[in-house]
Amino acid sequence: MAEYTKNLWGRWNKATLLVRLVVINCAVLLVGRIGGLILSWSLGTSDFIIFEWLVLPGNLESFLTRPWTLLTYMFTQEDIIHLLLNMLWLYGFGTIFLLFDSSRHLQGLYLLGGIVGGCFFFFTALSGVFPPGAVLLGSSGAVVAIVVGVAVLNPDFPIRLFLLGMVKLKWIAIVSVILFAMGLTGNNAGGHLAHLGGALTGLVYGLKMRRGTDITRPVNMILDKLANAIDYNKFKLNKRRSSKRNDKKKDDKRMEEILAKLRSSGYNSLTPEEKALLFRRSR
């Protein structure tokens, strides 16, 4: 089991950012669905109970009890179809994005697009536009930010579409935004509003990058600080473990000397410090 975990962790470290994002989204859906079913069978709760702690609520009271949902909602899909569509868009346009920009920019834009899209939904929900109990989930806003961002940076990049042939990237982005805007009056108005928030983020990102300004820098700086803090804590933990191992080796060597002295000269020849150490180890 330990060897399997080690190999799995090694594969994770070697995986690209796109693969990691897809895996995280798939894992959240899998754990949420299976865990929810288990809890519903055993405790009689709703099978949506795990997702309730991951989706972004549309009211202030619920949000204050789980503020992390501004981040977790963008990794939480409703079902397999929802997951499949979002991951196809993410992987396809993410691959194009990486032809012109780095993984660092991709991760920053994904998170920033999701956050802005979530804020669009949340503050609109507070005004009472959506029915009570409205929630937001899905990575669409984050994905749209990547689609629009790469389209602004490279509007004439050609993509071959089924039945349509070669289509420039800018037209795909424009049609996508129009379709999202048309959905503002539908059943998923909150989701489409988040899409527009993501689209606006991608637009600003592309325009600013063309002028040499990276709006994802603050997000990536925060991620760097978190990563450094985790590495530092891991270093301190390993250092403490190493120190404990060294102390144990010293005690073992000292005990061998005490036992040799005990055998050769008897208990009374031991010093008070040696007797105390012998007593502690014997316990």
Side-chain angles (χ1 to χ4, degrees):
M1 183 63 181
E3 186 65 25
Y4 175 77
T5 304
K6 183 179 179 180
N7 292 336
L8 195 62
W9 183 250
R11 291 180 182 178
W12 173 261
N13 287 332
K14 294 179 181 179
T16 64
L17 175 67
L18 273 177
V19 171
R20 292 184 183 184
L21 288 175
V22 172
V23 169
I24 292 173
N25 278 274
C26 293
V28 171
L29 177 63
L30 185 64
V31 172
R33 284 299 181 186
I34 295 178
L37 288 174
I38 293 175
L39 290 175
S40 67
W41 292 336
S42 58
L43 302 178
T45 61
S46 167
D47 59 0
F48 196 73
I49 187 170
I50 293 180
F51 286 155
E52 289 178 1
W53 292 92
L54 301 176
V55 300
L56 180 62
N59 63 83
L60 184 60
E61 292 182 2
S62 298
F63 177 74
L64 290 177
T65 61
R66 40 186 186 270
W68 59 82
T69 54
L70 186 58
L71 293 175
T72 57
Y73 93 89
M74 68 182 79
F75 297 97
T76 309
Q77 314 300 325
E78 185 175 5
D79 50 38
I80 294 293
I81 301 299
H82 192 202
L83 173 72
L84 181 62
L85 292 175
N86 281 337
M87 293 304 99
L88 285 174
W89 274 70
L90 173 61
Y91 196 83
F93 284 93
T95 301
I96 298 172
F97 185 96
L98 292 176
L99 294 176
F100 308 99
D101 254 327
S102 67
S103 294
R104 184 176 178 82
H105 291 110
L106 180 67
Q107 73 175 5
L109 186 56
Y110 181 96
L111 292 173
L112 191 59
I115 291 172
V116 174
C119 289
F120 266 49
F121 161 79
F122 181 72
F123 289 111
T124 304
L126 291 183
S127 65
V129 173
F130 304 130
V135 297
L136 178 65
L137 74 162
S139 58
S140 303
V143 174
V144 170
I146 294 172
V147 173
V148 175
V150 71
V152 173
L153 286 174
N154 306 276
D156 295 324
F157 184 80
I159 298 179
R160 183 178 297 278
L161 296 180
F162 181 65
L163 298 180
L164 296 178
M166 302 302 292
V167 179
K168 292 183 178 180
L169 190 56
K170 61 184 178 183
W171 297 118
I172 297 177
I174 291 172
V175 171
S176 300
V177 173
I178 291 174
L179 291 175
F180 294 142
M182 291 173 59
L184 287 177
T185 58
N187 295 329
N188 189 28
H192 290 296
L193 189 63
H195 299 162
L196 291 183
L200 178 61
T201 305
L203 176 63
V204 174
Y205 169 82
L207 293 176
K208 288 289 187 179
M209 282 296 286
R210 294 176 73 169
R211 297 176 181 177
T213 302
D214 179 14
I215 66 171
T216 67
R217 185 178 179 185
V219 176
N220 285 321
M221 288 178 64
I222 294 174
L223 293 177
D224 288 343
K225 290 182 178 180
L226 290 174
N228 290 335
I230 293 173
D231 289 342
Y232 177 68
N233 290 331
K234 183 179 179 181
F235 169 76
K236 289 197 301 182
L237 179 61
N238 290 336
K239 187 175 181 180
R240 287 197 297 269
R241 288 176 176 173
S242 177
S243 178
K244 289 180 179 179
R245 286 194 295 268
N246 291 335
D247 290 342
K248 188 176 184 302
K249 289 180 180 179
K250 291 179 181 179
D251 284 348
D252 290 342
K253 184 177 180 180
R254 182 66 176 139
M255 275 300 302
E256 291 177 2
E257 295 173 352
I258 292 174
L259 291 174
K261 185 176 180 180
L262 180 66
R263 286 191 295 267
S264 61
S265 304
Y267 181 78
N268 291 332
S269 65
L270 302 179
T271 65
E273 182 269 334
E274 291 171 339
K275 291 179 180 178
L277 180 58
L278 180 64
F279 178 72
R280 288 198 304 270
R281 294 297 295 268
S282 64
R283 293 183 62 184

